[in-house]
Amino acid sequence: MIVTVKQNAREEEIQSLILWLESFGLQVRTWIGEKYTLIGLIGDTSSLDGRLIESMPVVEKITRIQEPYKNATRRLHPEDTVVDVSGVKIGGGHFAMIAGPCSVESREQIIDIAKQVKASGATILRGGAFKPRSSPYSFQGMGADGIELLLEAKKETGLPIVSEIMDISQLPLFEDVDMLQIGARNMQNFTLLKEVGKLDKPVLLKRGLSATYEEWLMAAEYIMSEGNHQVVLCERGIRTFETKTRNTLDITAIPMMHELTHLPVIIDPSHAAGMSRMVHPLSLAATGAGADGLIIEVHNNPAKALCDGPQALTPDAFDEVTRDVTALRNALRR
Amino acid sequence: MIVTVKQNAREEEIQSLILWLESFGLQVRTWIGEKYTLIGLIGDTSSLDGRLIESMPVVEKITRIQEPYKNATRRLHPEDTVVDVSGVKIGGGHFAMIAGPCSVESREQIIDIAKQVKASGATILRGGAFKPRSSPYSFQGMGADGIELLLEAKKETGLPIVSEIMDISQLPLFEDVDMLQIGARNMQNFTLLKEVGKLDKPVLLKRGLSATYEEWLMAAEYIMSEGNHQVVLCERGIRTFETKTRNTLDITAIPMMHELTHLPVIIDPSHAAGMSRMVHPLSLAATGAGADGLIIEVHNNPAKALCDGPQALTPDAFDEVTRDVTALRNALRR
Amino acid sequence: MIVTVKQNAREEEIQSLILWLESFGLQVRTWIGEKYTLIGLIGDTSSLDGRLIESMPVVEKITRIQEPYKNATRRLHPEDTVVDVSGVKIGGGHFAMIAGPCSVESREQIIDIAKQVKASGATILRGGAFKPRSSPYSFQGMGADGIELLLEAKKETGLPIVSEIMDISQLPLFEDVDMLQIGARNMQNFTLLKEVGKLDKPVLLKRGLSATYEEWLMAAEYIMSEGNHQVVLCERGIRTFETKTRNTLDITAIPMMHELTHLPVIIDPSHAAGMSRMVHPLSLAATGAGADGLIIEVHNNPAKALCDGPQALTPDAFDEVTRDVTALRNALRR
Amino acid sequence: MIVTVKQNAREEEIQSLILWLESFGLQVRTWIGEKYTLIGLIGDTSSLDGRLIESMPVVEKITRIQEPYKNATRRLHPEDTVVDVSGVKIGGGHFAMIAGPCSVESREQIIDIAKQVKASGATILRGGAFKPRSSPYSFQGMGADGIELLLEAKKETGLPIVSEIMDISQLPLFEDVDMLQIGARNMQNFTLLKEVGKLDKPVLLKRGLSATYEEWLMAAEYIMSEGNHQVVLCERGIRTFETKTRNTLDITAIPMMHELTHLPVIIDPSHAAGMSRMVHPLSLAATGAGADGLIIEVHNNPAKALCDGPQALTPDAFDEVTRDVTALRNALRR
């Protein structure tokens, strides 16, 4: 971290600032220019509150050089992380196709869909048991029963399952779930992040609706700092001024996150636009941009889906998506 | 809710849509125009998923007429709600001045500050024991010990206390805390909202960083739908493109929320800008716009504060704010 | 347009509203429900100010049914528009590859680049003569001389040229330029839009930094309403909270605009991210999503470019992009 | 400007970077730390393109120390600028009350309103002759005739007038207009900014819908760099995710801009919310926050206004606003 001292700072003010900075256990190096004095801080500055330093009357501004996410940064971990979901790999060239309904609704529904998406090439089954809904009066998911049905579908098809956990009190129910999903609204539920960080289980971390790349990586860092490094990042659309789509897919997140971190990055085209007819073009866009996988909502009867029906594909439409995604990957030799 | 049917819809498609809509238990009225057919839904539509209806192939668009927040809406509850925090009233003409440090740091610190802000006119003491920090490496608060010290400061000064709860597992520790704060990042932690909704204790609900008025009211509705109607809304700055301030205070939230809801609305000028020197002008702005109170960070040594020092006022600066706020309220006969 | 009347409106108020609405020359149809009265307006409502109607005391809300952009809407013009730029077609299956430097800097530079991008498959040459720069102290372009050099490059290579016009006073200089570009900052410069609308020359209309789809289409409508229907829309990144990239490419604009309008939609991956190393993945994403073309900055010496060097590709890197874009289009049989 | 060199840069790369930086005519000072090498650039860096330097392979990042707006910055010009509009002062303690209709509609209308707002204490008359409308089918203003009527109203009442100019071709018509308004959509119409910069006439510069403080100041700098320093900044609401209000008033712009610049800052509460009933609370908020004035839409018949009727106050409501604004200013001894 570089601290720029104000032009009119007096010598004793600078000395007192240096002493104060040294009190954080960091080495301090000073560079006196004609107009400005710069102070370099050497050591681990990730726990330092930059805004506090900036509030000192003699400080002009500070510049961070190291990223505050030391586990997630690619700079210190250049190799791609490959996450293993009960045998299915994601990242480092392994492309994941995750599919299934927004909500588990019945035994028949989930097993039926699981079989169909598997036949089309899906490698992991998704399905919501606990649903974060903006209205308390909307269907909130089947809860524990939904998890049971997902496990049955897993048994029936062999597909590993991923489902969203909303609160640490639900942890015991997820023991046999292969991958935990942290939803966009919980991306900064730090209590939850820390607890899943203590598990030995892959985590699918969705990006918050208006989170920056750094905030998203800091959320991953919360999980990783507790020991769990099996984190897959999922871009699912950010909030913008556009109201004709539910959210706006940030396609640049794929190459940018690949630069900033070694963790895999997948895309959720279903939530991003909130419209089933956008899933095909957005899936091809994501694949073209280098995503490590897709997570797509598929329902055998979208018009009757208890949640997010408008964005679900039919199994047939999903089949078309997987075919074109494969053609595109082959053409680009991926 | 009004459903507009597409121009080219065939008669049997319209009939089938009507049957489907009736299956939700609503009365349906039809109006056939020259180009468009409109279908009106009569009854409680708050649990209806508008997007699902909109996804039907024959539907052009839907228009909501009722707000989905039936407990929070002023339309059905025209009288101002007055929230009582252990004897201190907020709303309906009662102005709350809440002050204290970002984090509780020590017995001396919190009692010292509590006494000083009380002398300046504060009516409720704030102080963080559990701190949501964007980095896992930053100070996370004193936890249970912090709550203990707040209770001591309450005993010493008589000021009711408000503190942030981050997870339902912390509920037992907050038994004697007078008011629970739900932070901006937890505004859509629905599990937490529902649990505090079961208590008989006032809740301070901060607005999420990029939440709309409706989402904020739906979060209040989550609490109210469980029975707890003692909710105070707190605007604390929204995220915008401006990077010179931490967030951007949405001053219009005050008159707009007063129109939409009967719940009191207070302002947090400290977090909004993230700069102590903005607190004075923003406090006067909020008072001018009709806020029901302010929540201000005060620290006896901002430069040593363990969190958010840059935005804390000294007790003297806080005293100036309270004096000018009072002068302004008198001038406007509030 | 549907006007919903307030629940408590009195009969005479409704009658007076109807008379007032009829004064706009529209037919009015009324539907009286149990709780609400709806008024339908029949006729061309595109010149009606919805907000004015909404401000009437007895009006609850209004709902637009027709789009306000009657020339640009696909609903009334289902066939794809194919824009012809001096023989090069864009739209309706014709893919345009536009390339060249941000600014024209010298005769040698522009001719050299023109030849190289043509060899790689570019079909139109871009180059800035008038540059909108956020600082008055930055290089503002070569002006009229730049246009001259572009015309020389056109003569030399046969490539049609596109260049940005910033003000109607520059119109005479653009007489021989094949396609006029309206920049993002001028998307709502209505005087300029109307003037280019009177020409018989294709226009490349960039989307404003925070413009919605509807505002962008209304800008196209300004041009089209004057008679010029040769408009190509260009998405070049929108402003979001992310600061690691210059802007955020809205990839969904491609399929959504294809739904809303019959005009071609191309993508500018260079400005979108502001980083040359993002151009390759974003170009593939855009192609996957169905763009009608790309406009890419290419410079023979990016480090010496007088403007926007960081985002320019070298001719070799551009060659790689065109090869992969072609492979991808072939794989998807486009 | 400080350039941080990458950790792994080789000595010859650093030397070549230094030579390149010196070629811009700047003095270069180097500081070699343990891990990083810093290069300080001394001299006027306002014409330097920071992103170009940042794109050099050996550069880690750059940090600007000087603001790029050297005429507008308060750092170099600590005294408040007082703008004189034909005798009416704005800034440095002088509070301006600007009022009038959105559009000039007729002789009677503008003179009637002018008299009424003058009686209530307005010091400058506003009125639009050229109206930037998002639809080409909406009323576009009376044009030259509107300017004539404004001049008549000025003669009748003695109030100086301010009106919006949309294009440099309109300049001759504005010769007798006391103050030129640049609208939000034209904030980065650089051709227009430069031309009004050559005049000896005050300019009211509205902030763009999603402009940052720095972009807004750079727009002022465009005007000032040509010699015209009589610039008044006007905050009129920024675009946010909220759709219940037209825009969101950024109240913090007042104290922040007062810190960054010596130019006066006024507020437009009418456009900010787009609702007449928000004008009173927002006017008091702006006054509390220290604005140098207000610009308010007043119409003698808002329901018949040809543009923006929903946000206009009646003359009586305006009278109430001026009374409360005065009371508030007195209470705060301003």
Side-chain angles (χ1 to χ4, degrees), chain A residues 52-117:
Chain A
L52 180 59
I53 298 174
E54 224 158 22
S55 74
M56 297 290 100
V58 295
V59 172
E60 180 72 34
K61 68 164 70 185
I62 62 149
T63 316
R64 274 200 183 275
I65 287 166
Q66 294 166 335
E67 297 90 351
Y69 38 91
K70 47 192 173 184
N71 282 293
T73 181
R74 190 181 280 277
R75 190 189 308 239
L76 302 174
H77 312 274
E79 293 297 311
D80 283 350
T81 281
V82 178
V83 171
D84 186 310
V85 183
S86 306
V88 176
K89 291 187 169 130
I90 310 178
H94 302 275
F95 191 88
M97 188 58 98
I98 309 175
C102 177
S103 293
V104 181
E105 294 168 22
S106 72
R107 194 178 180 285
E108 238 186 318
Q109 173 240 26
I110 188 69
I111 289 177
D112 188 31
I113 297 174
K115 284 181 179 166
Q116 294 192 65
V117 298

Side-chain angles (χ1 to χ4, degrees), chain A residues 246-266:
Chain A
R246 193 189 208 181
N247 293 122
T248 297
L249 181 64
D250 176 11
I251 199 81
T252 318
I254 302 167
M256 275 303 293
M257 291 305 271
H258 278 163
E259 234 184 74
L260 297 170
T261 184
H262 50 90
L263 299 172
V265 182
I266 71 168

Side-chain angles (χ1 to χ4, degrees), chain C residues 102-275:
Chain C
C102 178
S103 293
V104 180
E105 295 168 22
S106 71
R107 195 179 180 284
E108 239 187 318
Q109 174 240 24
I110 187 67
I111 289 178
D112 188 29
I113 296 174
K115 285 181 177 165
Q116 294 193 64
V117 298
K118 190 185 178 185
S120 297
T123 52
I124 299 179
L125 176 67
R126 59 151 292 157
F130 296 93
K131 301 300 307 171
R133 305 299 301 274
S134 47
S135 166
Y137 310 117
S138 298
F139 174 60
Q140 313 268 318
M142 289 182 76
D145 292 347
I147 300 286
E148 280 312 308
L149 297 179
L150 276 171
L151 291 170
E152 283 196 49
K154 176 187 175 179
K155 215 189 226 165
E156 201 81 31
T157 59
L159 292 176
I161 56 175
V162 56
S163 196
E164 177 165 354
I165 182 166
M166 285 176 63
D167 189 82
I168 57 175
S169 61
Q170 298 160 354
L171 269 172
L173 297 170
F174 282 75
E175 211 168 313
D176 297 325
V177 173
D178 303 277
M179 186 182 212
L180 300 181
Q181 179 178 312
I182 306 281
R185 293 184 184 86
N186 270 325
M187 193 200 84
Q188 292 194 317
N189 182 334
F190 301 123
T191 311
L192 181 57
L193 295 174
K194 276 192 245 179
E195 286 306 310
V196 304
K198 291 170 188 159
L199 305 177
D200 178 22
K201 203 187 266 298
V203 178
L204 184 66
L205 178 64
K206 293 207 157 186
R207 178 182 183 184
L209 227 72
S210 60
T212 60
Y213 296 154
E214 183 162 318
E215 288 169 334
W216 191 12
L217 285 167
M218 288 309 285
E221 188 76 18
Y222 255 96
I223 299 169
M224 298 172 88
S225 71
E226 298 287 335
N228 186 350
H229 286 217
Q230 299 279 298
V231 179
V232 174
L233 300 165
C234 178
E235 156 67 28
R236 40 77 74 214
I238 54 171
R239 180 162 280 182
T240 67
F241 301 138
E242 188 52 59
T243 54
K244 288 199 195 295
T245 51
R246 193 189 208 182
N247 293 123
T248 296
L249 180 66
D250 176 11
I251 199 81
T252 317
I254 302 166
M256 275 303 294
M257 292 305 270
H258 278 163
E259 233 183 74
L260 297 170
T261 184
H262 50 91
L263 299 172
V265 182
I266 71 168
I267 294 292
D268 177 345
S270 307
H271 280 85
M275 268 182 263

Side-chain angles (χ1 to χ4, degrees), chain A residues 192-211:
Chain A
L192 180 58
L193 295 174
K194 277 192 244 178
E195 285 306 309
V196 305
K198 291 171 188 157
L199 305 178
D200 179 23
K201 203 186 265 299
V203 178
L204 185 65
L205 178 64
K206 291 208 157 185
R207 181 183 181 183
L209 228 72
S210 63

Side-chain angles (χ1 to χ4, degrees), chain C residues 20 23 46-49 51-53 55-56 68-71 131-140 166-170 185-186 188-192 194 209-212 215 218-219 221-222 224-225 239 241 246 273-275 302-311, chain D residues 20 23 46-49 51-53 55-56 68-71 131-140 166-170 185-186 188-192 194 209-212 215 218-219 221-222 224-225 239 241 246 273-275 302-311:
Chain C
W20 182 72
S23 75
S46 54
S47 67
L48 219 55
D49 183 353
R51 291 174 51 249
L52 179 58
I53 299 174
S55 74
M56 296 291 100
Y69 37 91
K70 47 191 174 186
N71 282 293
K131 301 300 307 171
R133 305 299 301 274
S134 47
S135 166
Y137 310 117
S138 298
F139 174 60
Q140 313 268 318
M166 285 176 63
D167 189 82
I168 57 175
S169 61
Q170 298 160 354
R185 293 184 184 86
N186 270 325
Q188 292 194 317
N189 182 334
F190 301 123
T191 311
L192 181 57
K194 276 192 245 179
L209 227 72
S210 60
T212 60
E215 288 169 334
M218 288 309 285
E221 188 76 18
Y222 255 96
M224 298 172 88
S225 71
R239 180 162 280 182
F241 301 138
R246 193 189 208 182
M275 268 182 263
K304 296 275 183 198
L306 292 180
C307 114
D308 280 341
Q311 69 198 34
Chain D
W20 182 73
S23 74
S46 54
S47 67
L48 219 55
D49 183 352
R51 291 174 50 248
L52 180 58
I53 298 175
S55 74
M56 298 290 100
Y69 38 91
K70 47 192 174 185
N71 282 294
K131 300 301 307 172
R133 303 299 300 274
S134 47
S135 167
Y137 310 117
S138 298
F139 174 60
Q140 313 266 318
M166 285 176 64
D167 189 82
I168 59 173
S169 61
Q170 298 160 353
R185 293 185 185 86
N186 270 324
Q188 291 193 318
N189 182 333
F190 301 123
T191 312
L192 181 57
K194 277 193 244 177
L209 228 71
S210 61
T212 61
E215 288 169 332
M218 288 309 285
E221 188 75 16
Y222 255 96
M224 297 171 89
S225 72
R239 181 162 279 183
F241 301 139
R246 193 189 209 182
M275 268 182 262
K304 296 276 184 197
L306 292 180
C307 116
D308 280 341
Q311 69 199 32

Side-chain angles (χ1 to χ4, degrees), chain A residues 47 51 71 133-135 137 140 185 188-189 194 210 215 218 221-222 239 246 274 308 310-311, chain B residues 47 51 71 133-135 137 140 185 188-190 194 210 215 218 221-222 239 246 274 308 310:
Chain A
S47 67
R51 290 174 53 248
N71 282 293
R133 305 298 300 274
S134 48
S135 166
Y137 310 117
Q140 313 268 319
R185 294 185 183 85
Q188 292 194 318
N189 182 333
K194 277 192 244 178
S210 63
E215 288 169 333
M218 288 309 286
E221 188 76 17
Y222 254 97
R239 180 161 280 182
R246 193 189 208 181
D308 279 342
Q311 68 199 34
Chain B
S47 67
R51 292 175 51 247
N71 282 294
R133 304 300 300 275
S134 48
S135 166
Y137 310 118
Q140 312 267 320
R185 293 184 184 85
Q188 291 193 318
N189 182 332
F190 300 123
K194 277 192 245 178
S210 61
E215 288 169 333
M218 288 309 285
E221 188 75 17
Y222 255 97
R239 181 162 280 184
R246 193 188 207 181
D308 280 341

Side-chain angles (χ1 to χ4, degrees), chain D residues 10 32 43 54 93 95 99 105-106 124 138 141 145 211 226-227 231 236 253 260 287 300 315-316 322:
Chain D
R10 277 168 304 118
I32 299 167
E54 224 157 22
F95 191 88
E105 295 169 20
S106 72
I124 300 178
S138 298
D145 292 346
E226 298 287 336
V231 179
R236 42 76 75 215
L260 297 169
T287 310
N300 44 11
D316 283 354
T322 55

